[in-house]
Amino acid sequence: MTTVPSSSAAAAVLRAGPAGAAAVVAPYDGGAPYQQAFARHGWRTVAVLPEHRLRPPAYRNATLPVGYGDRVVHRGLRQTVKALRALGVSAVVAGGAGGIELAERIAWQLGLPGADPTSSPLRYDRGAQLARLARLGIPALRGIRTARLADAVTWARSHPAAGYLLAPAAAGTPVDAVECADERQIGAAWPALWHAAARHSGSPHLVLSELPGRHRYRVDTVTRPGPDGRPEHVVTGLRADVHAGPR
């Protein structure tokens, strides 16, 4: 269920209306696919990069990306929204998973189509996703979201499984999930994963869940304005993977 920004987001914007200016929020990795996709269709792009203190530690020294028509340094929501409005921005996308929440808050303040920012964690937080599915009665993996190893071990003891998957709660971070057979392996994998998650996402929370089945499915979706102006969810891709183990 994890959602991460993809070229589908840019494609939905490009289909929605005439060329304009699009803000790409937190393009820590350069955001090249977005800038190039918009440029091919005559759109100007504005890079919105949080100031040093607002970035995850791994991106504190990231330089402003190149190739954008304008750049805005985000220091506060009101100031950023004012600057983007002055630049004529008519669309906002996240440059990576770390920019989802801010991008949705900016779009909301600008009055542009987008998701409700109060539900942003459902699009980038694995723990929030599992909890919501459980509350709705939809079959999903059992798991716990926590920043404490003791809590994770206690949960594993009370939820025996054939194996466990330990991953950063924040999706889209360049940190691989780790398969664990038991409590000992959970304890061994925890420190490095905890530090890596905090460094790349700013959050030390991890999600420990039962190991997914051999078949895994990924569904890519985009939310965009429908014919009546109300949000419309469109499936843009479906992929089935066969799990091949640690290889």
Side-chain angles (χ1 to χ4, degrees):
M1 182 178 172
T2 298
T3 302
V4 295
S6 68
S7 58
S8 298
V13 171
L14 294 171
R15 289 194 298 267
V24 181
V25 180
Y28 296 128
D29 60 356
Y34 290 95
Q35 187 271 338
Q36 294 170 2
F38 282 119
R40 282 197 299 269
H41 293 270
W43 281 68
R44 293 186 298 110
T45 48
V46 180
V48 179
L49 197 66
E51 68 172 338
H52 185 274
R53 65 181 178 86
L54 298 177
R55 305 180 203 174
Y59 304 108
R60 293 273 166 82
N61 296 319
T63 58
L64 287 171
V66 299
Y68 288 83
D70 292 283
R71 303 171 183 175
V72 171
V73 177
H74 170 71
R75 297 184 175 86
L77 186 60
R78 180 177 298 181
Q79 181 180 354
T80 297
V81 169
K82 182 179 179 180
L84 295 179
R85 185 174 285 122
L87 290 169
V89 165
S90 55
V92 182
V93 297
I100 292 176
E101 184 171 12
L102 178 57
E104 293 181 351
R105 289 169 59 204
I106 291 173
W108 188 269
Q109 291 296 320
L110 286 172
L112 299 175
D116 184 345
T118 61
S119 62
S120 290
L122 296 179
R123 283 172 287 284
Y124 68 81
D125 190 298
R126 294 182 173 95
Q129 293 170 354
L130 292 179
R132 177 60 64 87
L133 290 172
R135 286 199 297 272
L136 295 176
I138 299 175
L141 298 174
R142 298 175 300 167
I144 181 175
R145 179 186 188 277
T146 179
R148 287 167 40 87
L149 172 59
D151 294 341
V153 170
T154 297
W155 182 87
R157 287 173 180 167
S158 59
H159 295 81
Y164 302 93
L165 190 67
L166 188 63
T173 56
V175 181
D176 293 332
V178 178
E179 292 185 14
C180 303
D182 49 32
E183 298 171 21
R184 181 185 61 80
Q185 291 189 4
I186 293 172
W190 185 275
L193 202 61
W194 187 92
H195 285 288
R199 176 171 171 74
H200 286 90
S201 71
S203 170
H205 286 82
L206 304 181
V207 169
L208 178 69
S209 67
E210 55 188 342
L211 196 65
R214 295 187 61 82
H215 290 277
R216 301 180 185 178
Y217 302 91
R218 173 172 175 170
V219 180
D220 295 324
T221 67
V222 165
T223 300
R224 66 188 185 197
D228 59 356
R230 301 178 62 184
E232 179 181 82
H233 303 288
V234 180
V235 175
T236 59
L238 174 63
R239 188 179 73 210
D241 295 330
V242 178
H243 181 50
R247 295 175 296 172

